[in-house]
Amino acid sequence: MLTALSPAEAKDYRLASPDGRTLVTVSAGTTLTWQVSRDGCTVLTPSEMALTIEEGGNTFDVGSKVLSSRTGRRDIIIPTPIYHKSAVHDLCNTLTLKLSDGFAVEFRAYCSGVAYRFSTTRKGDLTVRDETAEFNIDGDRDLFVPYVNDCRAGERWCYSFESYYDEVPFSQTVPDSLATIPLLVSLDGGRKAAIMEAGAEDYPGMFLKRSPSGNMGFTAEFAPYPLETALFRENIIPTRRADYIARTSGERTFPWRVVVISDRDADLADCDLAMILAPECRLEDTSWIRPGKASWEWWSGIHISGVDFEAGVNTATYKYFVDFSAANGLEYVVIDAGWSGRSLMEVRSGLDLQEVVDYASSKGVGIILWALWSSALEQAPEVFPHYARMGVRGFKVDYIDSDDQETVRKMFEMAALAAENRLVLDFHGAKPAGGLHRAYPNVLNFEGVKGLENSRWIDLVDEVPINDIPRYDVTCPFTRMLLGPMDFTPGAMDHATWEKYVGDESNPHVIGTRAHHMAMFAIYEAPLQMLADSPTKFMREQECTDFIAKVPVTYDRTAVLDGRVGEYLIMAREKDGVWYLGALTDRASRDIVIDLCFLGEGDFTADIFADGINADRCQEDYKHTSVRVTSSDRLKVHLAEAGGWTARIERER
C-alpha cells in the first residue's frame, strides 16, 4: 500500500500557461488534487485525481505520494493536412510529478486550456479497477449537459453518443445520470469551460455524472470491461462485465483529462487541444488518403425521379448516383445499409457491385460501403482486402454504440487494418474522434452528433418539435466539434418552419432556411462530408448545388469571427487562397456585421447566398448575389429565423 502524507505535509506545485493568465495548482497530501483559475477567477475548485490499480492480488491507489517534480515547455508545430488548419501549434508549459511505484502524472497549461494524464513504467500488465477524475466548480453555474439516453438494450454504457443539451444550473442536474462529453460550464465574465478528454487508446472513454460526494461538480465514470457479449439487433451488447475498467500494459500513458477555457464563446469553436493531445500519426504515407464529399442515398430514401429504371438498391440506381457525383465534382458515393447481408461477402441480388465500382472509377469517383460494426469486427480481415482489390475506397462502419476498453481498442485496430488496405473509414454510431483521427487520418469522420438524420423523425408536442433543432445547430460547433470531425450529413433541399415541421421518413425535410443549411458546409468539420439529399433534388436546385460542391472539406486556416453558444456563429475558413464563410442563427432572427479584415490586400469577389426576404415564411427563399469586396469592408447581414448566410470569397485576377 502507498503511504499517504498527512494534510499538514501537503505540498503545492504551480504551473502557469504561456500567457500567464491560467494557473494550475496541484496539491499533494492525503490525495492528489488540482485546481484551476484564469485571471484570478476560479475555473475548478480542488478536484481529486487517482488510479486504483490491482496487481498480484494487491490493490492500491496511485496519485498522492510525490517523489520529485520537473517543469518544462513545449513549442512544436504539428502538420495537420487532414484538418481545418494545415498545422497546429503545441505551445504549453508542463509539470511532471514522479509518483511512487513507477507512476507519474503530467500537467499541461495552454492558453486555451489545461490537461493532465497519468503514466506508468511498470513491468508486465496491470489492472485498472477504477479512475478518479473530479471536476468541481465554485457555484451553481449554468451548464450545457449532454445526457445519455436511449441506451441500447437498456445497457448503461451502450449509447450512440448523440445528445441534445439540457441547459440547466448545476442544482437542477440529475443525480446518477450519465452525461457524455464535452460538458460546458458558464463562468464569470462570459468565460466558459468545457470538460472533455483526449487521446483515449486501449482504455474506456470518459462519461461524467454529478458528484456523489456532495461536491458541486462532476466525476468521471467508465464502462467496466466486457467479459461476455451477445448480439442484440444491430448491436454488440455486454451481458457480463468485470469489476475493473481496463487490463493494460504496465508501461504506457493514460488519456488526457482536459478543461478547455474560453474568454469568449467563439474561442470554443476554434480550439485545437483534441488534435494536439492526440496520439501521433502512425502512418508513414498518408498521400493516398482522399478527403472529399459524397452523394448518399439513405437520408432521402432513394427518392429520385425522371429516370427510366426502378429506384432501389440496384446497379442502375448507384450508377445514377455516380453520375451525379462525377458531374458535380464529388469524390465519393456512399452505399448505405441494404447492399449486403450480415455477411459482407454476400452482395444483394440486383446489385452488380463490381460494375458500379468500375463505372465509378472510370469517372474518378470512389465507392464507400456501409458495414455493421459486428459484421466488420468478425469479417474485416477477409472483407477489407477483398473489397480493396475490387476498387472500393472505404467503409462506413455503423452501430458501434460503445466505448469500453475493448471497443476503443478494436476501433484503433480496424483503423490500422483499413490503412494497410488503403481504405478510408467513417465511424458512424460511434463516440467522437478523441484523437483517433490524428493517429490514423484515414478515419475521416465520426458521428456522435445529433445530425440531420434525426430530422426524419423528430417527436412533436403540441404540434411543434420537442427539441430545439436550430439551437442545437448553433451549439454543437462550440461543444461536440471540440472533439473533432462530425458526420452531421448536411445538405437538405426541402425545408419547413418551426411551426410547420412534420416528420416524414419517406420524404424528409428540415427546420431552417436554405442558407442556414448551406452554411453548415463551411462550418461543420468533416473530411468526409455527405450530401444528404437526393440527386434529383440537388439537380432541381443546381445553383445551390454548384456552390456546395465547391466548398472544401479540409482547410489551411480557420478564423471564428464571432458567436455565442446556442445563439449564432460566424466562421471563415481558407483553402488555397480562397475563403469560405458561414453564419448560422437559432430561432431568433438577427442582424450581424461580418468584418472582412482577414482577407488581406487586394480586391475580391464574394459569391453570396443569403436568406431571402420571405425566408421566415418560406424557408427555401434565398438571395444569390456577387459583390466586390476588400479587407476594409464590413458586411451587414440579416439572418432570418433559423437562418443563415454563406459566401465564397476569391481574389480577383
Side-chain angles (χ1 to χ4, degrees), residues 5-7 9-15 24-36 44-50 63-66 95 97 99 105 107 118:
L5 298 174
S6 69
E9 297 174 298
K11 184 174 181 179
D12 287 350
Y13 304 84
R14 289 182 173 82
L15 177 68
V24 178
T25 302
V26 183
S27 297
T30 54
T31 61
L32 190 68
T33 66
W34 71 328
Q35 55 186 310
V36 181
L44 291 183
T45 61
S47 302
E48 185 179 350
M49 62 191 68
S64 58
K65 186 175 181 180
V66 177
L95 167 67
L97 303 181
L99 309 174
V105 59
F107 297 85
F118 285 102

Side-chain angles (χ1 to χ4, degrees), residues 561-630:
L561 306 181
D562 197 7
R564 288 184 60 85
V565 179
E567 297 183 19
Y568 69 98
L569 176 62
I570 311 167
M571 184 178 289
R573 302 189 191 272
E574 182 264 330
K575 180 76 169 181
D576 297 332
V578 180
W579 285 93
Y580 302 84
L581 280 66
L584 296 174
T585 185
D586 60 356
R587 288 195 291 131
S589 62
R590 65 183 75 241
D591 294 304
I592 61 174
V593 176
I594 300 177
D595 190 336
L596 301 181
C597 61
F598 55 85
L599 288 177
E601 296 182 0
D603 295 324
F604 297 79
T605 299
D607 187 26
I608 298 171
F609 282 77
D611 290 326
I613 194 169
N614 294 307
D616 284 338
R617 292 182 296 165
C618 175
Q619 304 249 286
E620 284 90 356
D621 186 30
Y622 68 87
K623 185 175 183 180
H624 181 198
T625 58
S626 180
V627 298
R628 295 184 69 187
V629 297
T630 69

Side-chain angles (χ1 to χ4, degrees), residues 219-238:
T219 187
E221 185 164 319
F222 304 89
Y225 186 85
L227 295 173
E228 296 176 1
T229 62
L231 195 63
F232 180 80
R233 296 178 182 170
E234 297 88 358
N235 290 107
I236 298 174
I237 301 294

Side-chain angles (χ1 to χ4, degrees), residues 406-434:
E406 272 292 277
T407 302
V408 174
R409 180 178 61 81
K410 288 173 180 176
M411 288 175 72
F412 272 79
E413 290 177 354
M414 189 173 291
L417 180 60
E420 289 176 16
N421 291 277
R422 298 204 163 191
L423 296 169
V424 299
L425 292 179
D426 173 13
F427 280 133
H428 207 67
K431 63 174 289 182

Side-chain angles (χ1 to χ4, degrees), residues 290-294 330-332 444 526-530 553-554:
R290 188 187 188 195
K293 296 186 289 295
L330 310 183
E331 289 80 1
Y332 294 104
L444 296 177
L528 176 64
Q529 184 70 281
M530 295 187 208
V553 296
T554 62

